[in-house]
Amino acid sequence: RLVSSLRLSMQTPDELNGYEHMFKTQSLHNSWKKLPVWLKSLCIFTAGGISALGQAPFDIPALTLFGLAFGIWAIQELGTFKPFLGGWVLGFGYFSGSLYWIIEPFLVDAAATGWMAPFALVSLSGGLAILWGLAFKAVRGCHGLMLCLSLTAAEFARAYLLTGFPWVLIGYVWIDTPVYQLAAWIGPHGMTFLTLLCAWGLGRRGSDPVAFRLVAISIVFFIPFLPSIKGPPGASDAPIIRLINPNVAQKDKWHLDKMAGVFDYQIMLTKADPQVDLIVWPEASVYMSLDKARHEISEAAGDASALVGVQRISEELRFYNSAVVIDAKGNISGTYDKNRLVPFGEFIPLSYWTAKWGLQDFSGLTGFGFSAGSGAKTIEIAGLGQVQPLICYEAIFPQYVGGTLERPALLILISNDAWFGSFQGPAQHFAQARARTIELGLPLVRVANRGVTAIIDARGGIDAVLWPTERGSIDAQIPIAIPPTFYAKYRDLPLSLLFLIAFSTIAIGWVRRKFLTIS
């Protein structure tokens, strides 16, 4: 009956020229119309939640495509709600499913802050979903291709608006497959557009070109199972780096009775044979003053330099979350201050302006929070050349990583994933670090306390790893970089031009229709 209905519907000229989607039969259409609004909302919300299963740690991109295809079909084809409300419900489901790790920081001290966890998840998911609602509303009645562009623009805006939050961009569902190698050309937002095109292709009817549908189906069912692509290894004389992972629970990290033991454990791993060229500690891994700690770290490191995460106070009495390089003589040879801070976690938004109005400046010694550093920079490390340090949250920003005046030979990311729990958050954070290597063609060293500690090559391959349940150290050679990718050279400029052309076309069409109506 389904096949017969599809054949009959294909013979209708109006349907052949319209916006076509999957599974449209008259009986299904009528059945859907009879459902109560709350049940329709639940179905679309569930579709959004299912689409989130393409993200780490589940990594099932087929579910993302089917979830988005159903959601778009239900909202646009069936006219379930007004476009904004339908898009918001779909986005709310997607973000609720992909960001539920956000409750974890509130559970570190559950007695004091646990009650805030559900409010944090609902407010963050609901707030981000507004962009999806606006995307559906902006192209109401337009061809489905324009909806793909509009949703991509919404995800693009999410990466930049306010302080930006490009976590779990739709295109990231391909990171664990060879498909994401295309990001070297089109970047993460281009991958989002490609994903939406595939979802739209699966949701369309038999009037589409057969080749288009076969490509979409092959991406869903075959490409994710191909082996991952490996980048070039390190040269035979490549520097050897040691990554230190103490794997400490967040509640114990600053416990007065345990801080010294954690520091001593890191010193022990640093001293271990054989001698290496660089030793990297995680974010905020020094509990004592830097002046006191640097000599002890340098002595343990021997002839190697050490890159260490610290919390430091400047001469102006301002807090910084920093990475410092300690040379073999115990001197500080380089300092990087974190620039992309976590809103409400590391700083209070708008505190700069409230200070100008005579209110408290929350970045100072007497307030709460950190000051932002001067921006992306490289640091010269003996034997390694120029490296770009990154601290935790910064790695999720594709527009920031690699955005230095001089192209680095290596990215070094230090993090503390203990805040993210032990499942979804650390897996997603690690996946996004791999995405940066593929996009830029640069190897990355990732050192995390209670997270994934790994060496990642220039194609996103994992050369050596300690998983979140493990602790200890890794000694491995640094992979080599490959020539700058197309995305590294031009970033989001080509996609921005596509947005400009597409939405200019919509605006011109709208003006023409208004003019003809008036005439």
Side-chain angles (χ1 to χ4, degrees):
R1 291 181 58 190
L2 178 60
V3 172
S4 299
S5 179
L6 286 173
R7 287 176 176 170
L8 288 172
S9 64
M10 287 175 61
Q11 296 173 3
T12 306
D14 291 337
E15 290 191 345
L16 288 174
N17 296 325
Y19 183 77
E20 301 296 342
H21 289 289
M22 62 180 177
F23 311 141
K24 182 180 179 184
T25 64
Q26 190 61 44
S27 59
L28 179 59
H29 190 269
N30 292 337
S31 298
W32 177 265
K33 288 178 65 176
K34 294 177 182 177
L35 294 178
V37 172
W38 70 267
L39 188 53
K40 295 177 183 176
S41 301
L42 181 60
C43 289
I44 295 174
F45 176 86
T46 302
I50 289 173
S51 67
L53 296 177
Q55 300 288 349
F58 303 102
D59 298 308
I60 312 174
L63 293 182
T64 298
L65 299 185
F66 284 119
L68 291 175
F70 175 83
I72 293 171
W73 170 75
I75 296 166
Q76 284 216 321
E77 177 73 3
L78 300 182
T80 306
F81 308 111
K82 292 184 177 179
F84 174 83
L85 181 58
W88 183 86
V89 172
L90 182 65
F92 188 38
Y94 174 78
F95 291 116
S96 296
S98 58
L99 295 175
Y100 69 80
W101 60 265
I102 201 68
I103 69 175
E104 296 287 353
F106 299 94
L107 301 181
V108 172
D109 186 3
T113 60
W115 64 272
M116 300 170 62
F119 296 101
L121 177 60
V122 170
S123 59
L124 179 62
S125 301
L128 295 175
I130 291 174
L131 292 172
W132 283 34
L134 293 174
F136 273 84
K137 182 176 177 61
V139 295
R140 179 180 183 178
C142 292
H143 194 271
L145 180 60
M146 294 306 303
L147 176 61
C148 295
L149 275 171
S150 187
L151 276 171
T152 303
E155 291 288 88
F156 188 85
R158 180 159 68 89
Y160 286 91
L161 289 180
L162 302 178
T163 61
F165 188 64
W167 194 288
V168 292
L169 296 174
I170 294 173
Y172 288 158
V173 300
W174 304 106
I175 288 173
D176 207 37
T177 77
V179 176
Y180 203 79
Q181 298 299 319
L182 291 172
W185 292 90
I186 61 177
H189 301 295
M191 294 302 298
T192 291
F193 182 53
L194 176 65
T195 306
L196 290 166
L197 280 177
C198 290
W200 173 59
L202 287 174
R204 285 172 62 86
R205 290 255 318 266
S207 58
D208 296 303
V210 174
F212 183 84
R213 293 156 62 198
L214 288 177
V215 168
I217 291 172
S218 66
I219 288 175
V220 172
F221 291 106
F222 299 109
I223 292 181
F225 299 101
L226 295 176
S228 297
I229 297 175
K230 292 285 291 182
S236 58
D237 59 346
I240 297 176
I241 192 167
R242 176 171 296 157
L243 316 183
I244 307 296
N245 181 359
N247 197 359
V248 181
Q250 188 59 37
K251 64 180 180 180
D252 296 332
K253 185 174 176 61
W254 302 112
H255 194 287
L256 292 176
D257 297 331
K258 299 179 180 180
M259 290 188 296
V262 174
F263 182 82
D264 291 343
Y265 177 69
Q266 294 173 122
I267 289 290
M268 179 193 73
L269 295 175
T270 300
K271 285 181 178 179
D273 291 330
Q275 183 69 40
V276 296
D277 298 290
L278 177 67
I279 297 164
V280 184
W281 287 23
E283 176 187 13
S285 52
V286 176
Y287 77 98
M288 64 181 75
S289 71
L290 182 57
D291 284 338
K292 182 178 179 181
R294 62 189 173 94
H295 295 291
E296 189 171 351
I297 294 171
S298 175
E299 182 180 352
D303 295 332
S305 297
L307 189 147
V308 179
V310 300
Q311 295 178 347
R312 70 181 190 90
I313 302 174
S314 69
E315 294 179 356
E316 297 81 18
L317 300 182
R318 303 184 76 81
F319 286 123
Y320 289 95
N321 187 356
S322 304
V324 300
V325 178
I326 304 171
D327 65 20
K329 296 180 180 179
N331 299 318
I332 304 299
S333 60
T335 301
Y336 168 73
D337 298 319
K338 186 176 182 181
N339 177 261
R340 294 299 181 103
L341 303 175
V342 181
F344 301 104
E346 293 180 308
F347 80 106
I348 303 298
L350 303 180
S351 62
Y352 174 81
W353 298 105
T354 58
K356 284 183 174 293
W357 297 333
L359 301 176
Q360 184 180 21
D361 179 358
F362 290 96
S363 298
L365 183 61
T366 59
F368 171 81
F370 294 93
S371 294
S374 58
K377 62 181 286 187
T378 58
I379 294 177
E380 176 81 26
I381 298 181
L384 279 78
Q386 296 290 334
V387 305
Q388 182 186 0
L390 301 163
I391 301 178
C392 194
Y393 185 63
E394 293 179 319
I396 75 169
F397 292 91
Q399 67 268 33
Y400 186 78
V401 180
T404 54
L405 294 176
E406 182 177 355
R407 188 177 192 242
L410 176 69
L411 306 171
I412 298 182
L413 168 62
I414 59 174
S415 184
N416 175 27
D417 290 358
W419 287 108
F420 303 153
S422 58
F423 185 58
Q424 188 188 48
Q428 291 177 355
H429 202 203
F430 177 59
Q432 290 168 99
R434 292 178 65 195
R436 301 291 86 81
T437 66
I438 297 169
E439 294 154 10
L440 302 176
L442 292 173
L444 182 144
V445 169
R446 188 180 196 276
V447 183
N449 170 53
R450 184 154 284 195
V452 182
T453 293
I455 293 179
I456 308 169
D457 67 34
R459 296 289 189 187
I462 303 170
D463 284 3
V465 64
L466 286 174
W467 298 109
T469 55
E470 301 175 297
R471 70 193 302 233
S473 64
I474 295 174
D475 289 1
Q477 285 187 316
I478 298 175
I480 63 174
I482 62 176
T485 64
F486 182 86
Y487 180 74
K489 293 177 181 178
Y490 301 104
R491 297 295 178 133
D492 295 314
L493 178 61
L495 188 65
S496 299
L497 293 175
L498 180 60
F499 287 152
L500 180 62
I501 294 170
F503 291 111
S504 296
T505 302
I506 292 178
I508 292 172
W510 181 83
V511 170
R512 285 179 174 176
R513 288 194 299 271
K514 289 292 183 180
F515 178 78
L516 291 174
T517 301
I518 294 172
S519 299

